[in-house]
């Protein structure tokens, strides 16, 4: 994949992340010269209906527009593998920021970060979206738009999101989806969850 050119426009440069739904690469938009992030579907074995989940993630993100949510710019297909293009956020994730501090974050640092996450969740919940996999690794730190003492956070990875509408449920009854450390009890039991599951994860963070 490294060096590949998608849609005759996006030149893949390096792998920057991967999860249950696929890989995320840094790429170069050859039309604008800008760095972008490209997520390519490559699901883990046994994942139910991965193509539909991937389309749902794209639909969820493309309908959102908030400074604390990663923006989607384009989508396409590469040899039968769907992909979509997002803004590139090059400052690592919230986990890396927390670890870089060593001693942990003081309340003067925590409060503005927590406020940004609250604003992001308030926005997506108002749009009928429940993230379901909120954790520090899914919160990116922007290299632009913030300051050293108040970084700009952007929520990403909506692969497990619940959306309002007929496509709302893609999990089997009793199927546990998410990251155990940040799961609300009802989510760990495989029950249908609502926005309170995201608030529980926010409290754990």
């Amino acid at each position: 994949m490294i060096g590949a050119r998608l849609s005759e426009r996006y030149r893949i440069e390096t792998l920057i992340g991967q999860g249950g739904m696929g890989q995320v690469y840094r790429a170069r938009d050859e039309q604008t010269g800008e760095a972008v992030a490209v997520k390519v579907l490559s699901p883990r074995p046994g994942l139910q209906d991965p193509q539909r989940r991937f389309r749902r993630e794209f639909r969820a993100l493309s309908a959102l527009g908030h400074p604390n949510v990663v923006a989607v710019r384009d989508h396409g297909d590469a040899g039968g593998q769907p992909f979509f293009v997002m803004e590139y956020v090059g400052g690592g994730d919230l986990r890396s920021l927390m670890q870089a501090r060593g001693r942990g974050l003081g309340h003067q640092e925590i409060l503005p970060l927590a406020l940004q996450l609250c604003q992001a969740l308030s926005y997506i919940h108002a749009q009928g979206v429940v993230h379901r996999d909120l954790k520090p690794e899914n919160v990116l730190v922007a290299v632009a738009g913030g300051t050293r003492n108040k970084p700009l956070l952007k929520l990403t990875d909506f692969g497990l999101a619940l959306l309002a509408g007929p496509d709302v449920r893609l999990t089997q009854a009793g199927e546990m989806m998410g990251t155990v450390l940040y799961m609300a009890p009802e989510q760990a039991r495989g029950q249908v969850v609502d926005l309170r599951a995201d608030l529980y994860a926010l409290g754990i963070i």
Side-chain angles (χ1 to χ4, degrees):
M1 181 63 74
I2 305 300
R5 193 164 175 252
L6 307 182
S7 294
E8 299 185 351
R9 175 173 180 176
Y10 305 106
R11 179 76 65 181
I12 301 297
E13 295 181 340
T14 185
L15 179 69
I16 57 176
Q18 57 186 14
M21 288 291 294
Q23 286 84 41
V24 180
Y25 298 89
R26 188 186 70 211
R28 186 67 51 184
D29 183 342
E30 295 182 336
Q31 288 189 9
T32 67
E34 294 180 327
V36 294
V38 176
K39 186 167 186 176
V40 180
L41 175 64
S42 180
R44 69 185 186 210
L47 186 66
Q48 182 192 3
D49 206 348
Q51 294 250 2
R52 190 177 175 196
R53 287 180 186 274
F54 197 76
R55 290 195 302 269
R56 185 182 64 176
E57 180 180 4
F58 170 75
R59 192 170 74 247
L61 273 171
S62 62
L64 301 177
H66 190 274
N68 296 120
V69 178
V70 167
V72 166
R73 297 181 175 177
D74 198 2
H75 71 287
D77 186 277
Q81 286 183 295
F83 70 88
F84 59 82
V85 182
M86 303 172 284
E87 65 174 313
Y88 176 67
V89 182
D93 58 33
L94 183 57
R95 173 74 68 199
S96 300
L97 177 64
M98 294 160 66
Q99 292 174 339
R101 294 293 192 268
R103 57 174 174 76
L105 301 176
H107 71 277
Q108 294 291 345
E109 296 172 290
I110 290 172
L111 288 176
L113 299 179
L115 178 60
Q116 291 184 64
L117 289 181
C118 288
Q119 291 170 335
L121 291 180
S122 178
Y123 171 77
I124 70 169
H125 292 162
Q127 312 308 309
V129 177
V130 180
H131 190 279
R132 283 206 307 177
D133 197 20
L134 182 62
K135 56 185 177 182
E137 292 82 355
N138 287 340
V139 179
L140 301 181
V141 181
V143 295
T147 66
R148 183 179 183 279
N149 294 324
K150 187 182 176 182
L152 178 63
L153 301 185
K154 288 182 175 283
L155 186 58
T156 190
D157 199 342
F158 284 71
L160 298 182
L162 289 177
L163 312 181
D167 203 18
V168 69
R169 186 167 182 120
L170 285 180
T171 52
Q172 301 282 355
E175 184 180 10
M176 184 176 69
M177 300 294 290
T179 302
V180 172
L181 183 59
Y182 300 93
M183 277 188 188
E186 64 273 21
Q187 187 172 357
R189 290 193 293 266
Q191 298 173 355
V192 178
V193 300
D194 58 27
L195 60 86
R196 290 172 292 184
D198 286 346
L199 300 182
Y200 181 95
L202 175 61
I204 298 296
I205 293 173

